[in-house]
Amino acid sequence: MFRVIGPHARRQNRDLLDAMFDLREAVVSAAPPGIYARAFPEAGRDRFDTDGSVYVLAGEERRVEACVRLNPTTAPHMLGEFLAPLCEVPSGPEIWECSRLVIDTVSVPDTLAQFRLRGRLGLGITAWCLDEKIRHLIWLIRHESFPQVAETFPTRPLCDPIRLAEGGGWVPAVSEVGLGALDHFINRLRIPPETVAGLIAAGLDQTGGCIA
C-alpha cells in the first residue's frame, strides 16, 4: 500500500530511492514555471535530502508511482529557508516539514488510480507521524485546495498566499496531525470507484496537486 523509508532503511531500499529521485526530476522538469521554480531550485535530489529525511512512497509492487518527503524542522529544511522572508516558520521536535510531493501521472494516467495513490501517501504520512509522535506538519497548500486539506487536518495559514504571475497561489500552513486524519484516509481508500468518479467529474476532488 505504502512504504516509509527512514534513515535506517536506506541501504536495503536504494533502488526505490533512486527511482524516487528520478520521478521527482521528471515531474518537476515537466511542470510549468510556478511554485516549483521558486521553491525547488533543483528538480530531483536537492540539498535538503539529508541523512535525516524520511520518505513515503506509494505504488504497485516495487514501482514508485508517488512520493513525498518529510524533514525535521530542527535541522535546515526547504520551507524554513524559502519562507523565512515571508513569515516566522514554526520549528521543534514535534513539527516536521512535508514537501516534494509528486505523482507519476504519465505512467498512471487513470484518475481513480491517482486518487488511490494520494490516499496511500496521506495514510503513510499520517501513520508515520502518529507512530513517531509528530504533532504538526508545515507545508505549502494550493490555495483552492486549502478547505479540503483543512477538513482533514486542523490547519492555519502562516501568512498570506504566495501569488504566482501565471495565476493561482500557495498557502504556507501548519497542520495538526491526529487520529481523525488517519480515519479519513482509511475511509478514503474504501470509497467505491463509482463515487470517486463522481467526485472527480464534479470537480470536488481537488487534492491532485494540493501539496508542494
Side-chain angles (χ1 to χ4, degrees):
M1 181 176 285
F2 64 82
R3 183 187 298 267
V4 178
I5 301 177
H8 301 298
R10 277 183 170 73
R11 182 170 300 177
Q12 59 268 43
N13 291 288
R14 178 50 56 191
D15 60 325
L16 293 176
L17 292 177
D18 288 344
M20 178 199 71
F21 289 126
D22 289 344
L23 174 61
R24 273 182 12 187
E25 182 165 8
V27 170
V28 175
S29 296
I35 199 67
Y36 286 109
R38 292 180 60 177
F40 312 142
E42 302 91 358
R45 189 192 305 261
D46 64 42
R47 65 186 181 281
F48 299 111
D49 290 299
T50 69
D51 291 341
S53 299
V54 173
Y55 304 96
V56 181
L57 314 180
E60 297 301 324
E61 299 175 350
R62 285 184 70 83
R63 294 196 302 273
V64 179
E65 297 170 337
C67 58
V68 68
R69 178 179 68 194
L70 299 167
N71 265 338
T73 60
T74 53
H77 55 288
M78 185 185 70
L79 293 183
E81 179 177 300
F82 176 61
L83 297 176
L86 304 175
C87 61
E88 182 177 349
V89 181
S91 63
E94 295 184 351
I95 305 172
W96 279 54
E97 172 201 79
C98 184
S99 61
R100 303 304 302 264
L101 187 154
V102 298
I103 295 176
D104 187 358
T105 57
V106 174
S107 298
V108 187
D110 180 70
T111 53
L112 174 59
Q114 294 173 19
F115 180 92
R116 302 294 190 211
L117 285 171
R118 296 193 295 273
R120 292 173 186 174
L121 285 183
L123 184 60
I125 292 167
T126 306
W128 182 84
C129 285
L130 292 174
D131 284 346
E132 298 297 321
K133 296 181 171 52
I134 305 303
R135 305 302 185 191
H136 295 87
L137 291 171
I138 58 170
W139 41 19
L140 290 174
I141 303 173
R142 192 180 292 276
H143 186 254
E144 59 267 31
S145 301
F146 191 90
Q148 287 79 16
V149 174
E151 286 180 3
T152 305
F153 301 93
T155 300
R156 64 175 176 87
L158 295 174
C159 62
D160 292 336
I162 301 170
R163 302 292 182 180
L164 303 179
E166 59 272 21
W170 294 80
V171 181
V174 57
S175 299
E176 181 180 345
V177 182
L179 289 173
L182 191 70
D183 291 339
H184 168 85
F185 287 114
I186 292 172
N187 291 331
R188 179 186 176 95
L189 292 171
R190 292 172 176 167
I191 297 176
E194 59 272 18
T195 303
V196 176
L199 291 172
I200 294 172
L204 297 178
D205 175 46
Q206 298 293 331
T207 59
C210 67
I211 307 298

